[in-house]
Amino acid sequence: MRTQIVALALASALTLGGCVSVLPTPIIPSALISLPADRAVAPADPLQADVAVYFPEASRAFSGADIAVRDSQELIYLSDVRWADTAPALLQGAVVNSLTKAGGPGRAAPGQMGAQTDYDLRWRILDMSVSKANGAVHIEVQASILDSGTRRMIAQQTFSAKGSPADGAARARAAALALVAQKTADEVAAFVAKTVTAKPRPGSPS
């Protein structure tokens, strides 16, 4: 009887093993696209205050590592090229990198660090996609600067940029989108540096 139970257990294990083996193999991307820190451009204005840069909000289409392909009303994804991180994380990092290169006494920090700051950058991705074949790539974001203490909105602006890939290959289209994404992140950083003003520190003379 014991031998029969062991045999049945082994048969069940083999059956389950067979089920696992037929699952599709995950697709490994041929390239991962990033926004390197050395490509960030410093704003023309010095950063006069401390700013928390939050992840931009995004719909499901632009919130992951997949790169969206837009064709009229259809939205699909590039099959073998992806972002190196989620799109919101890459854009957040690009803005922080740009502001870090600015002169002035202010500092920029990712919002999730919980640092005490003077202002918050809250923003959202409206579009971040490539086209089919060698059509234009496009990014659009809306950025809002809020007073960290009062939560009052100080300024809001929409930024949009387009670019053209070298050819219709997936990697070329993704690379073109990365370039306009970096350009937009630099523009958002410049908007922040130009808008925020220094605040008196506790204990400092008024």
Side-chain angles (χ1 to χ4, degrees):
M1 181 65 179
R2 185 175 180 181
T3 303
Q4 185 177 7
I5 293 174
V6 172
L8 288 172
L10 287 172
S12 298
L14 289 173
T15 302
L16 289 174
C19 291
V20 172
S21 67
V22 299
L23 291 176
T25 303
I27 298 175
I28 300 175
S30 63
L32 295 175
I33 306 298
S34 62
L35 303 180
D38 58 1
R39 292 186 182 176
V41 177
D45 298 285
L47 186 61
Q48 301 291 354
D50 295 340
V51 180
V53 180
Y54 284 84
F55 288 121
E57 298 177 357
S59 66
R60 288 184 61 186
F62 314 118
S63 63
D66 291 318
I67 299 175
V69 181
R70 188 179 296 279
D71 180 37
S72 298
Q73 300 302 314
E74 182 184 21
L75 189 65
I76 55 178
Y77 297 101
L78 291 180
S79 60
D80 60 345
V81 180
R82 293 191 177 95
W83 296 118
D85 202 339
T86 65
L90 289 177
L91 285 175
Q92 179 200 46
V95 171
V96 171
N97 289 335
S98 180
L99 288 173
T100 300
K101 295 182 178 182
R107 296 173 300 169
Q112 65 269 25
M113 289 182 61
Q116 185 174 1
T117 56
D118 304 309
Y119 299 92
D120 295 346
L121 172 64
R122 300 279 186 172
W123 50 325
R124 59 192 178 111
I125 302 172
L126 303 177
D127 187 23
M128 192 174 181
S129 61
V130 303
S131 301
K132 287 189 174 181
N134 59 345
V137 301
H138 181 242
I139 182 172
E140 184 175 5
V141 302
Q142 184 181 68
S144 303
I145 300 175
L146 282 68
D147 185 294
S148 298
T150 65
R151 314 307 303 162
R152 182 174 65 89
M153 184 183 294
I154 306 300
Q156 185 179 79
Q157 189 170 332
T158 299
F159 300 85
S160 179
K162 288 186 177 182
S164 299
D167 54 55
R171 188 176 298 193
R173 286 183 284 164
L177 183 58
L179 290 176
V180 297
Q182 182 65 63
K183 177 178 181 292
T184 300
D186 291 338
E187 291 176 351
V188 171
F191 165 64
V192 171
K194 185 177 182 179
T195 302
V196 302
T197 56
K199 288 188 175 182
R201 300 301 177 191
S204 62
S206 55

